[in-house]
């Protein structure tokens, strides 16, 4: 596609429920990132996928968070047993990771609200 | 762990005034990137600096990368209302796998 797309754009859920957020990266981009942005805050790195390599999960805040990337393209971020502090905008970005540059193209984000 | 700090957190200027945001890393960076996020929008890439002491310009925006590659700045000359937004700097983490973003500087401009 022309850019990174994410769905849903908004998600309201009840505390304790599981949610799945989806990211469609730019076609041909081998790198995919998930970030979390709380209101008025910066971007918090969550997880990074590069090609077929094992993902860098160092940013995941707890074991309730997981992500997968199927076929090197679409990625889903799953949050189990959601908590109110999980409320934030979840941003996905992709990159071609050409040598010497790593420009990241961000999707519009999914705004998650946990009641 | 590796940290990227930005100051100031907020800045309000009158249209036409200059604006500068500063970015400091706790470790040497291989490169630094700058992004702009408009209110309600998502971050958009502005520029990447790679070389020590590098200076790049985009119209009224001037980006600098420090000699030690641990700090950077973004200077906007004669701000306009279209410059409103949050400016983030970002450097690669030590594993070289992902960008560590600063918390951003939010610029507001009154006409």
């Amino acid at each position: 596609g022309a850019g990174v797309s994410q769905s849903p754009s908004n998600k309201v859920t009840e505390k304790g429920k599981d949610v799945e957020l989806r990211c469609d990266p730019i076609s041909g981009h081998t790198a995919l990132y998930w970030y979390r942005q709380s209101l008025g805050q910066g971007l918090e790195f969550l997880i990074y996928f590069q090609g077929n390599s094992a993902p860098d999960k160092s940013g995941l805040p707890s074991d309730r968070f997981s992500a997968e990337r199927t076929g090197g393209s679409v990625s889903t971020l799953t949050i189990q047993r959601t908590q109110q502090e999980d409320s934030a905008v979840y941003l996905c970005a992709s990159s071609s990771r050409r040598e010497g540059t790593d420009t990241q193209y961000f999707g519009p984000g999914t705004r998650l609200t946990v009641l | 762990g590796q940290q990227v700090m930005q100051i100031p957190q907020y800045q309000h200027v009158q249209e036409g005034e200059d604006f500068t945001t500063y970015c400091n890393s706790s470790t040497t960076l291989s490169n630094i990137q700058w992004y702009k996020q408009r209110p309600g929008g998502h971050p958009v890439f502005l520029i990447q600096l790679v070389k020590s002491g590098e200076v790049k310009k985009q119209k009224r925006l001037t980006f600098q990368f420090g000699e030690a590659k641990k700090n950077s700045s973004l200077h906007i000359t004669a701000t306009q209302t279209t410059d409103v937004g949050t400016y983030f700097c970002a450097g690669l983490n030590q594993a070289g796998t992902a960008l560590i973003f600063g918390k951003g500087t939010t610029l507001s401009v009154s006409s």
Side-chain angles (χ1 to χ4, degrees), chain A residues 6-66:
Chain A
Q6 291 185 245
S7 60
S9 55
N10 282 284
K11 177 71 177 179
V12 180
T13 190
E14 294 179 346
K15 178 181 174 181
K17 295 285 180 67
D18 297 351
V19 295
E20 276 193 1
L21 312 180
R22 176 187 168 105
C23 172
D24 280 275
I26 292 173
S27 177
H29 279 191
T30 57
L32 186 148
Y33 308 79
W34 282 99
Y35 296 91
R36 177 169 71 174
Q37 187 173 33
S38 300
L39 186 62
Q41 298 298 309
L43 294 158
E44 177 188 4
F45 165 73
L46 297 177
I47 190 169
Y48 158 72
F49 296 90
Q50 171 59 43
N52 295 320
S53 303
D56 177 354
K57 304 179 181 180
S58 60
L60 294 178
S62 78
D63 58 9
R64 296 186 296 104
F65 288 72
S66 62

Side-chain angles (χ1 to χ4, degrees), chain A residues 53-105:
Chain A
S53 303
D56 177 354
K57 304 179 181 180
S58 60
L60 294 178
S62 78
D63 58 9
R64 296 186 296 104
F65 288 72
S66 62
E68 61 178 24
R69 188 180 184 191
T70 53
S73 181
V74 171
S75 176
T76 55
L77 176 69
T78 302
I79 308 174
Q80 295 178 312
R81 305 181 301 282
T82 52
Q83 304 293 313
Q84 288 183 333
E85 60 263 29
D86 299 335
S87 296
V89 175
Y90 288 82
L91 290 158
C92 173
S94 72
S95 167
S96 63
R97 291 284 284 186
R98 280 193 292 272
E99 185 174 344
T101 183
D102 184 27
T103 302
Q104 299 195 9
Y105 297 85

Side-chain angles (χ1 to χ4, degrees), chain B residues 55-73:
Chain B
V55 177
K56 286 188 176 180
K57 292 190 175 184
Q58 289 180 348
K59 298 183 180 178
R60 295 177 295 103
L61 277 60
T62 302
F63 303 84
Q64 289 188 312
F65 200 10
E67 294 289 342
K69 301 184 74 173
K70 294 182 72 173
N71 57 74
S72 180
S73 65

Side-chain angles (χ1 to χ4, degrees), chain B residues 34-111:
Chain B
W34 286 90
Y35 290 78
K36 178 182 179 181
Q37 185 174 24
R38 293 181 185 275
H42 57 272
V44 175
F45 174 81
L46 293 177
I47 207 162
Q48 175 173 278
L49 303 172
V50 178
K51 299 176 183 177
S52 169
E54 188 171 12
V55 177
K56 286 188 176 180
K57 292 190 175 184
Q58 289 180 348
K59 298 183 180 178
R60 295 177 295 103
L61 277 60
T62 302
F63 303 84
Q64 289 188 312
F65 200 10
E67 294 289 342
K69 301 184 74 173
K70 294 182 72 173
N71 57 74
S72 180
S73 65
L74 159 58
H75 179 81
I76 303 178
T77 303
T79 54
Q80 300 176 358
T81 55
T82 53
D83 296 326
V84 164
T86 301
Y87 293 85
F88 293 98
C89 63
L92 273 180
N93 65 1
Q94 290 175 336
T97 54
L99 290 175
I100 303 298
F101 282 80
K103 293 192 181 298
T105 296
T106 298
L107 172 65
S108 59
V109 180
S110 54
S111 55

